[in-house]
């Protein structure tokens, strides 16, 4: 986020700690912006994002929560559910639902992950 300083201080981008997010399949690690660049679509009913690994090409279901990326899988037991298995702490991650996308803010950037719709 861009902060406006008080008393004439210059605006600056908010710095977050370096976080590396690994692929569960190939163990390649990615910075948060690169990870978010590869989020393909959002399933609003389950609150899950499909992420494609740029290294191995496999996909994962992830839930983007405030300050956390959660890994898991979707299963159906009458209705679809997300089972959280593992996670990465990502201070400053701010996902918000929008009409046609999931809006994600991090480190002064914004991503819009297209909404796949309902199951």
């Amino acid at each position: 986020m861009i902060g406006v300083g008080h008393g004439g201080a210059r605006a600056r981008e908010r710095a977050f700690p370096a976080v590396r997010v690994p692929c569960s399949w190939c163990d390649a690690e990615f910075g948060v912006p690169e990870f978010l660049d590869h989020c393909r679509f959002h399933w609003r009913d389950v609150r899950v994002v499909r992420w494609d690994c740029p290294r191995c090409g496999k996909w994962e279901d992830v839930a983007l929560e405030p300050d956390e990326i959660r890994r898991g899988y979707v299963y159906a037991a009458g209705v679809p559910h997300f089972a959280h298995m593992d996670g990465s702490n990502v201070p400053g991650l701010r996902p918000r639902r929008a009409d046609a996308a999931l809006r994600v803010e991090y480190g002064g950037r914004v991503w819009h992950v297209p909404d796949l719709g309902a199951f």
Side-chain angles (χ1 to χ4, degrees), residues 7-81:
R10 295 186 317 204
R12 60 185 165 90
E13 190 169 316
R14 184 171 176 190
F16 293 104
V19 175
R20 305 295 291 170
V21 183
C23 172
S24 296
W25 295 98
C26 69
D27 293 325
E29 293 185 345
F30 304 94
V32 176
E34 185 178 7
F35 185 91
L36 294 172
D37 285 344
H38 290 88
C39 289
R40 297 296 170 227
F41 53 83
H42 175 244
W43 292 333
R44 69 173 166 243
D45 289 355
V46 190
R47 299 180 57 198
V48 169
V49 169
R50 174 66 50 91
W51 176 76
D52 295 332
C53 178
R55 181 174 173 222
C56 71
K58 293 190 178 184
W59 56 267
E60 292 189 63
D61 290 328
V62 297
L64 302 179
E65 300 290 339
D67 299 319
E68 185 178 15
I69 296 174
R70 295 180 176 176
R71 287 189 169 72
Y73 60 93
V74 174
Y75 69 97
V79 295
H81 299 277

